[in-house]
């Protein structure tokens, strides 16, 4: 188990459009979780996954929704630049906050 106050992190990088750049109004938070991987003796070699990420959405995941993190002021990113976002959360033996 994680020690009290340990941080777990997530990161994403996006490159701006080379012609126009981009304006960021906020960030979309989704999740993709691999519940377990198959063992070598299983016939079905696919991992068990649940996800609300657009690239791997699990059919029937209607009770989980993406989270939108708005920016107070829109941020212009010039053409050719990239943006990297890092978010953390504290985890403990008996809670996540």
């Amino acid at each position: 188990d994680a020690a009290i106050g340990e941080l777990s992190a997530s990161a994403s990088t996006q490159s701006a459009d080379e012609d126009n750049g981009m304006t960021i109004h906020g960030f979309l938070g989704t999740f993709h979780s691999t519940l377990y991987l198959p063992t070598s003796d299983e016939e079905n070699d696919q991992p068990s996954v649940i996800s609300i990420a657009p690239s791997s959405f699990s059919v029937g995941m209607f009770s989980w929704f993406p989270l939108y993190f708005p920016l107070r002021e829109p941020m212009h990113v010039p053409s050719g630049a990239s943006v990297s976002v890092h978010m953390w959360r504290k985890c403990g033996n008996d809670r996540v906050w």
Side-chain angles (χ1 to χ4, degrees), residues 8-97:
S8 64
S10 179
S12 178
T13 302
Q14 176 69 41
S15 296
D17 183 285
E18 290 189 26
D19 294 329
N20 302 316
M22 65 181 169
T23 300
I24 300 174
H25 295 270
F27 300 97
L28 180 67
T30 62
F31 79 88
H32 174 99
S33 179
T34 301
L35 301 176
Y36 63 88
L37 296 172
T39 60
S40 59
D41 60 340
E42 290 184 25
E43 289 181 26
N44 180 4
D45 63 351
Q46 299 297 314
S48 178
V49 172
I50 57 173
S51 174
I52 62 168
S55 62
S56 58
F57 184 79
S58 299
V59 175
M61 289 293 292
F62 54 85
S63 62
W64 291 84
F65 302 98
L67 182 60
Y68 180 67
F69 297 94
L71 296 177
R72 288 180 192 238
E73 298 286 329
M75 180 174 66
H76 177 72
V77 180
S79 62
S82 59
V83 174
S84 181
V85 177
H86 300 266
M87 294 189 184
W88 295 267
R89 68 178 186 175
K90 286 190 171 186
C91 302
N93 292 332
D94 60 346
R95 66 186 132 200
V96 175
W97 66 100

